[in-house]
Amino acid sequence: MSNETFYLTTPIYYVNATPHLGHAYTTILVDTMTRFQRRRLEPEHVYFLTGTDEHGDKIVQAAAQAGESPQAYTDRISGIFQETWKRLGLTPNQFIRTTSEPHKRAVQRFLQQIYDAGDIYFGEYGGQYCFGCERFYTEKELQDGRCPDHQTTPTFIKEQNYFFRMGKYQDWLIDHIHCHPDFIRPERFRNEVLSFLKDPLEDLCISRPRTRLEWGIPLPFDDQYVTYVWFDALINYISALGWPDGEAFRRFWPNAQHLIAKDILKPHAIYWPIMLKAAGLLPYRHLNVHGYWKIEEAKMSKSRGSVVRPLDLADKYGVEAFRYFVLREMTFGLDASFSEEALVARLNADLANDLGNLYSRVLKLIQRYYDGRISELPGEGGLVDPTRVAIAEVTAATERFAFSEALAAIWNLVSATNKYLVTNEPWKQDPGDVRTKAVLFSAAETLRAIAVLLWPFLPQTAERMFRGLGISEPITSIRIEEAFSSPQHLGPRQWRVGEVEPLFPRIEAATAKPVPVKTEPTAAQESVADLIAIEEFRRIDLRVAEVIEAAAIPGSKKLVKLRVRLQDEERTVVAGLKEHYPPESWEGKRIILVANLKPTKLMGIASQGMVLAAEDESGRIVLLTPEAPIASGAKVR
Ligand code: MSP
């Protein structure tokens, strides 16, 4: 077994705000990636770190506003972050707080080390300071004299402070980025950093006088100063591992990766590697950078009131539907727009329809045909290739954080399985037939593979699928490459399908409220064999048609001959509706026509389509017509 380790961190979030979609997104990505790595490596060789950033002006101000002491305030908000991650089912190995004693000790040790090495000096600096960002801005960085982030006018401050000789390491950093092309990824952020490094790097002011700010970690070599919040915060990535002597640091640091959004690229891509270099430590392996969630094209902002709360969405639609949406919707490295409608559409189409229906359909057939038992039996080879392809694609895409692509690859397998069933129609076959069994077992085996692949992304759903299939083996004991372990596509050992519960309830799009899951099966659900897949439905070309004229057919009591228009095309259709709709009632009506029915001859007249009508139990028949005016030829979906 390999000794390879994997260490991935989220940024530590400021406690001046409670968790929103952006924080949840980064943390979900790290949760997904570390779950995936735990199925690839030894689970204890994988480490997921998150936490809260609790020092600095911002926090003092937020605490004052809340009427609390900084400590009481940070305890409370940090607690909300921890509780939120728990409720979202996220599983960090550690939640670090920068106000914890071990972290403070590590920061002081780090500072002392580079101070002793001569990389920190005392000097005077005057400049434009933004309290929101807690940093000085150069004139060039300001936009119309304002902070580009907060749009506020900075304050000119002149004071004596400690400075870190960043400039000294600029050439080393440029070299390192050139020699390690995937040090910062995706590439556009690497290019951004390289272009920033074209100008000389200024030294970094790493202290704040205590007279101005008390809420920070005192400098070990001058207790009249506290540490600049970024210098304090970045060190969390090693203090959490017990640097300098911790066993975890020795094991995990050589394989460290960070995940951040583009807003904090500079401290992570420039300050942090240089800090590590100055302290004689290895740089991290990769900095992975994702884009920003926007709401209707605007940046999410508390002041505008446009903040999406992850728990509200999880409560409304379910944790996993929310998780699926954010993982599927954002292309890694690019910005994405959040909308609740898009979430509902994905939930209905991908989760309730494609995956949910496949799962229920296969399980219900196995239950009906074989009393739920799946015993050892050779399968049928039709799904072997699509499964292999999915495993390879999911693995490759996940490794490079392309989670949207990975999910698309899983859904290709879901579609292939749906198609396979439509082609083989086990519901029309004899249950005792060996081939029928083989087809259903193949589908069940593929559902098992789908669940294994899905687990890092939607762990609860995958576990429910395992339970539904009656697989007793814990899903977490199966490695990704074993998702499909039986080369001959051998049927699984002894599974017993339990009660089939829908995986996801459909949501009514108009109201965006969950439709209660029916406990009583409807007639259609009862007879699983009568259900069709969406692909089957899509083969039927239903169109709106306009009746131009209608005539009786001599010698026929029931038939009426219609001339109809579909956009630019005219057709003749014979309908058996004369007793309910006499010829004179048809002209000008808009009807629904099955437009791709094979032409047939009725009373010697070729009929090119079929008119749809509904019939109730008393035999009353009414024509189906569009609810509002719509062009002839319009497609019915
Ligand atoms: N405390 C610093 C980070 C220190 S790390 C050593 C900080 N905190 S933060 O609370 O502002 O978090 C910023 C991070 O939150 C982003 O990098 C990203 O991970 C996440 N997001 C916050 N808003 C976001 C969006 N609108 N969209 C996507 N993610 C964003 O910066």
Side-chain angles (χ1 to χ4, degrees):
M1 192 53 66
S2 122
N3 273 330
E4 192 182 333
T5 60
F6 184 86
Y7 173 43
L8 183 61
T9 66
T10 72
I12 46 172
Y13 306 112
Y14 287 130
V15 287
N16 64 342
T18 48
H20 60 59
L21 170 68
H23 305 127
Y25 178 66
T26 314
T27 318
I28 288 173
L29 286 191
V30 174
D31 186 73
T32 303
M33 182 55 120
T34 46
R35 279 176 188 270
F36 171 80
Q37 296 295 344
R38 285 188 209 123
R39 300 281 70 77
R40 203 178 69 80
L41 307 170
E42 290 293 292
E44 61 279 11
H45 289 178
V46 177
Y47 207 89
F48 163 8
L49 176 71
T50 189
T52 39
D53 191 352
E54 307 184 356
H55 288 127
D57 278 330
K58 275 192 219 210
I59 313 301
V60 175
Q61 281 164 21
Q65 250 180 11
E68 288 173 76
S69 71
Q71 191 62 60
Y73 173 81
T74 50
D75 286 350
R76 185 166 64 80
I77 309 287
S78 178
I80 296 176
F81 271 93
Q82 292 176 54
E83 184 56 27
T84 304
W85 300 159
K86 205 158 134 197
R87 284 185 52 200
L88 289 178
L90 311 181
T91 51
N93 292 84
Q94 187 186 154
F95 187 100
I96 188 168
R97 300 184 54 189
T98 54
T99 50
S100 69
E101 288 308 319
H103 174 75
K104 290 187 201 167
R105 277 199 299 277
V107 170
Q108 291 192 325
R109 177 157 187 161
F110 194 97
L111 280 162
Q112 188 69 52
Q113 199 165 311
I114 51 178
Y115 182 73
D116 292 345
D119 281 338
I120 291 178
Y121 63 93
F122 192 59
E124 190 172 64
Y125 183 80
Q128 301 291 350
Y129 190 81
C130 170
F131 282 91
C133 301
E134 301 191 12
R135 58 168 281 213
F136 287 101
Y137 272 96
T138 58
E139 291 299 337
K140 210 171 133 192
E141 286 174 309
L142 296 174
Q143 283 171 357
D144 301 328
R146 286 163 188 267
C147 159
D149 229 28
H150 293 87
Q151 296 302 320
T152 48
T153 314
T155 316
F156 185 81
I157 296 185
K158 191 169 178 187
E159 61 190 18
Q160 287 195 313
N161 264 312
Y162 286 89
F163 292 85
F164 171 46
R165 294 187 202 281
M166 277 212 310
K168 177 175 159 189
Y169 296 97
Q170 178 161 8
D171 290 343
W172 166 80
L173 181 59
I174 296 172
D175 254 19
H176 188 81
I177 298 174
H178 280 303
C179 295
H180 300 85
D182 57 1
F183 184 58
I184 301 164
R185 57 190 186 185
E187 205 184 344
R188 48 199 294 255
F189 297 112
R190 171 180 186 261
N191 295 340
E192 205 175 291
V193 171
L194 282 172
S195 109
F196 183 83
L197 285 170
K198 282 192 179 130
D199 290 333
L201 263 188
E202 285 185 22
D203 290 345
L204 182 70
C205 174
I206 55 140
S207 63
R208 299 289 180 263
R210 253 180 134 154
T211 46
R212 188 153 68 72
L213 178 72
E214 271 286 337
W215 190 241
I217 302 175
L219 296 185
F221 40 84
D222 187 344
D223 68 2
Q224 291 312 299
Y225 287 87
V226 294
T227 313
Y228 169 47
V229 58
W230 268 105
F231 210 91
D232 160 355
L234 288 161
I235 292 172
N236 94 88
Y237 298 135
I238 57 171
S239 71
L241 298 179
W243 175 82
D245 308 313
E247 164 64 10
F249 177 73
R250 198 187 53 72
R251 279 173 58 193
F252 288 109
W253 186 250
N255 288 318
Q257 295 196 35
H258 305 302
L259 178 74
I260 57 166
K262 61 184 186 180
D263 55 337
I264 50 179
L265 180 61
K266 196 168 144 191
H268 281 83
I270 296 175
Y271 307 172
W272 182 225
I274 292 183
M275 285 165 67
L276 288 164
K277 176 75 182 164
L281 300 174
L282 281 177
Y284 51 77
R285 263 187 200 272
H286 303 290
L287 178 65
N288 306 285
V289 188
H290 66 74
Y292 240 59
W293 279 101
K294 303 200 160 170
I295 297 169
E296 286 155 10
E297 294 311 310
K299 204 172 153 181
M300 217 174 356
S301 129
K302 205 168 139 193
S303 50
R304 275 196 293 264
S306 55
V307 174
V308 176
R309 297 278 162 215
L311 285 184
D312 291 353
L313 291 164
D315 285 347
K316 195 162 171 187
Y317 300 111
V319 167
E320 301 240 317
F322 168 62
R323 187 169 162 124
Y324 176 78
F325 176 75
V326 293
L327 290 173
R328 181 72 181 82
E329 200 70 11
M330 188 182 261
T331 302
F332 193 66
L334 301 181
D335 292 347
S337 251
F338 182 86
S339 94
E340 209 168 320
E341 292 75 47
L343 188 155
V344 171
R346 282 246 178 244
L347 166 56
N348 283 343
D350 301 1
L351 297 177
N353 238 8
D354 294 350
L355 178 66
N357 284 350
L358 170 68
Y359 168 84
S360 308
R361 174 187 239 195
V362 171
L363 265 59
K364 283 184 181 172
L365 273 176
I366 291 175
Q367 215 167 43
R368 254 197 5 185
Y369 282 6
Y370 313 116
D371 195 24
R373 277 172 226 276
I374 313 173
S375 50
E376 242 166 87
L377 225 162
E380 193 280 347
L383 288 167
V384 174
D385 284 346
T387 310
R388 292 242 163 84
V389 169
I391 295 173
E393 287 182 355
V394 171
T395 308
T398 309
E399 293 280 3
R400 52 187 172 85
F401 285 86
F403 295 158
S404 176
E405 273 178 53
L407 285 170
I410 298 179
W411 257 256
N412 282 343
L413 181 57
V414 169
S415 302
T417 316
N418 269 323
K419 250 185 223 137
Y420 172 79
L421 291 173
V422 171
T423 311
N424 288 291
E425 301 184 308
W427 46 87
K428 286 194 183 159
Q429 314 300 329
D430 174 2
D433 192 333
V434 178
R435 192 180 151 83
T436 313
K437 280 189 191 169
V439 164
L440 281 173
F441 294 151
S442 300
E445 174 84 11
T446 311
L447 276 174
R448 174 187 174 275
I450 290 171
V452 173
L453 290 175
L454 199 58
W455 185 82
F457 305 90
L458 303 183
Q460 293 173 18
T461 306
E463 284 165 18
R464 282 174 66 199
M465 288 171 74
F466 254 48
R467 275 199 299 279
L469 283 159
I471 306 174
S472 51
E473 204 180 353
I475 196 164
T476 48
S477 67
I478 302 166
R479 296 160 63 84
I480 290 285
E481 67 268 24
E482 294 164 357
F484 188 55
S485 52
S486 41
Q488 280 76 43
H489 199 40
L490 278 181
R493 330 348 114 172
Q494 271 156 357
W495 302 345
R496 171 108 201 225
V497 171
E499 201 184 320
V500 186
E501 284 176 11
L503 285 182
F504 294 94
R506 272 188 72 82
I507 305 286
E508 212 56 77
T511 55
K513 290 223 176 68
V515 175
V517 186
K518 290 197 184 79
T519 41
E520 289 297 307
T522 61
Q525 280 169 338
E526 229 161 21
S527 161
V528 184
D530 291 334
L531 295 181
I532 61 162
I534 188 80
E535 290 83 352
E536 259 177 296
F537 169 74
R538 288 203 186 112
R539 293 185 55 209
I540 306 173
D541 188 13
L542 294 173
R543 301 286 174 143
V544 173
E546 184 192 355
V547 181
I548 314 164
E549 59 184 41
I553 299 177
S556 171
K557 217 168 89 190
K558 290 191 174 165
L559 298 179
V560 56
K561 179 178 147 193
L562 308 171
R563 193 76 192 142
V564 301
R565 182 182 294 135
L566 284 104
Q567 213 169 356
D568 302 321
E569 185 197 356
E570 279 189 19
R571 293 189 184 194
T572 298
V573 175
V574 178
L577 294 167
K578 188 172 153 204
E579 289 164 308
H580 306 274
Y581 290 91
E584 61 277 16
S585 66
W586 284 91
E587 204 182 314
K589 271 200 187 339
R590 287 191 187 240
I591 56 165
I592 308 294
L593 192 76
V594 181
N596 62 343
L597 207 63
K598 276 191 192 139
T600 178
K601 271 199 170 171
L602 295 162
M603 300 288 284
I605 306 166
S607 176
Q608 304 163 289
M610 185 174 87
V611 178
L612 293 189
E615 180 174 13
D616 70 9
E617 274 168 7
S618 70
R620 195 171 96 88
I621 289 185
V622 295
L623 263 183
L624 296 190
T625 58
E627 189 265 337
I630 186 160
S632 73
K635 207 168 160 42
V636 179
R637 308 164 177 275

